[in-house]
Amino acid sequence: MSPTLRSAAGSDVGLRRSMNQDSAATTPRLLVVADGMGGHAHGEVASSVAVAALLDLDAQLRGTDLSGVDLPAALGGGIADAAARLTQLSEQNPELQGTGTTVVAFLVHGTRIGVAHIGDSRAYLLRAGELVRLTRDHTLVQSLIDEGRISPEEAASHPRRSWLIRTLQESTPAEPDLFPIDGLVGDRYLICSDGVTAVLDDAAIRDALSTVAEPADAVAQLITRANEGGGPDNITCIVADLVDQAPEPGEVQVVVGAAERSEF
C-alpha cells in the first residue's frame, strides 16, 4: 500500500481585515496555499488564479503514473501558468495591474514530495516531535538575516518585516524555489499564510500540531490561536498527515478562502 495524505484546510478573515484575500486547496495529490498581496490591487484575484492554475495541473495529472514525473518541475510549470494567467487578466483589466500573491504548494506521490514556494507563506514538517521549517521567506528581513546584518529577534520587530522581494505577480517571470523532500509515514505537514506565522512562533506552532490527532482539529486550533493573538491578517492553513492507509474513495477536492467563491 502506498502512503497517502490525510489533510484538512481552513481559512479565516482574521480580526482586522474586511476581506479574505487568502486561498487554499487540497486534493489527493496537491496541497496549495496562496496569500494575495494585501497592499496591492485585488489580492483575492491573484490567490484565486494561482490556486485555479495548480488545480488544473492536478486535473491534468489525475490518473497519471507519477513515478517518473519530476514533481518540483511540474509545480514550476503550474506556477508559470498562473503568472501567465495573471498577466493576461491585467492586460484585459488595468485595475488588476500590480496584482500578486505568495504560493506554497506540495505535489505528492507516495513518499515523494515536490515543493514550490514563492513569497512569505511557509511550509513546516513535524517529524518525531521536531518542527522543521521547509521554506525560506522571500523577504527583505530574511535577506538581512542571511547576510548577518540583523538577528532573528530584530527581524520580528523590523518595520519592513513584511516587505516581499519575490512573489507571483502579473507581468513578471515567476521565480519560485522548487525542491523535493522525502516523506516518512507519520510526518505531519503544515502549509500556512503569514496570518499564522506573524502571530505564532515555532514553539506555539509545534504545540498546536503535536497536541491533536486529527488534521481538521489542528487547523481549527491554529486559526483560533492566531485570532487570540490579535488576528492581524487573514489566516489560512493546511495540515496533512502522511499515513500508510488506503486513500479516501473518489477524488476529494477542498477549496477554501477567496478561491472558494471565485470565478477564476
Side-chain angles (χ1 to χ4, degrees), residues 220-243:
Q221 188 167 144
L222 286 163
I223 291 173
T224 295
R225 290 190 182 195
N227 275 323
E228 288 174 347
D233 202 350
N234 305 147
I235 307 160
T236 300
C237 51
I238 294 171
V239 174
D241 294 337
L242 192 60
V243 297

Side-chain angles (χ1 to χ4, degrees), residues 62-237:
R62 190 176 303 157
T64 301
D65 181 3
L66 297 181
S67 300
V69 173
D70 185 330
L71 301 178
L75 285 173
I79 289 180
D81 178 34
R85 295 185 191 194
L86 283 176
T87 297
Q88 183 178 30
L89 284 171
S90 69
E91 290 171 349
Q92 296 169 350
N93 183 357
E95 290 185 1
L96 296 178
Q97 292 179 0
T99 300
T101 185
T102 72
V103 180
V104 178
F106 283 15
L107 186 59
V108 182
H109 177 248
T111 59
R112 297 173 56 235
I113 302 174
V115 182
H117 162 63
I118 188 166
D120 64 349
S121 295
R122 293 180 181 175
Y124 291 86
L125 161 65
L126 182 72
R127 176 179 289 173
E130 180 181 359
L131 185 72
V132 178
R133 191 195 304 181
L134 300 173
T135 54
R136 173 188 170 277
D137 293 347
H138 297 140
T139 59
L140 174 64
V141 296
Q142 184 62 58
S143 296
L144 295 175
I145 292 171
D146 294 345
E147 294 168 4
R149 296 168 63 183
I150 64 173
S151 68
E153 292 74 23
E154 290 170 324
S157 58
H158 195 283
R160 294 181 178 176
R161 60 188 176 277
S162 298
W163 191 333
L164 297 172
I165 59 175
R166 211 191 309 174
T167 61
L168 172 63
Q169 192 164 347
E170 58 86 22
S171 302
T172 303
E175 297 180 347
D177 293 339
L178 302 170
F179 55 93
I181 58 174
D182 295 321
L184 292 176
V185 170
D187 285 351
R188 170 163 281 189
Y189 301 98
L190 167 66
I191 304 177
C192 61
S193 65
D194 67 343
V196 175
T197 56
V199 178
L200 304 181
D201 62 15
D202 285 2
I205 290 171
R206 178 189 174 281
D207 185 64
L209 292 176
S210 61
T211 55
V212 292
E214 292 298 317
D217 293 335
V219 167
Q221 188 167 144
L222 286 163
I223 291 173
T224 295
R225 290 190 182 195
N227 275 323
E228 288 174 347
D233 202 350
N234 305 147
I235 307 160
T236 300
C237 51

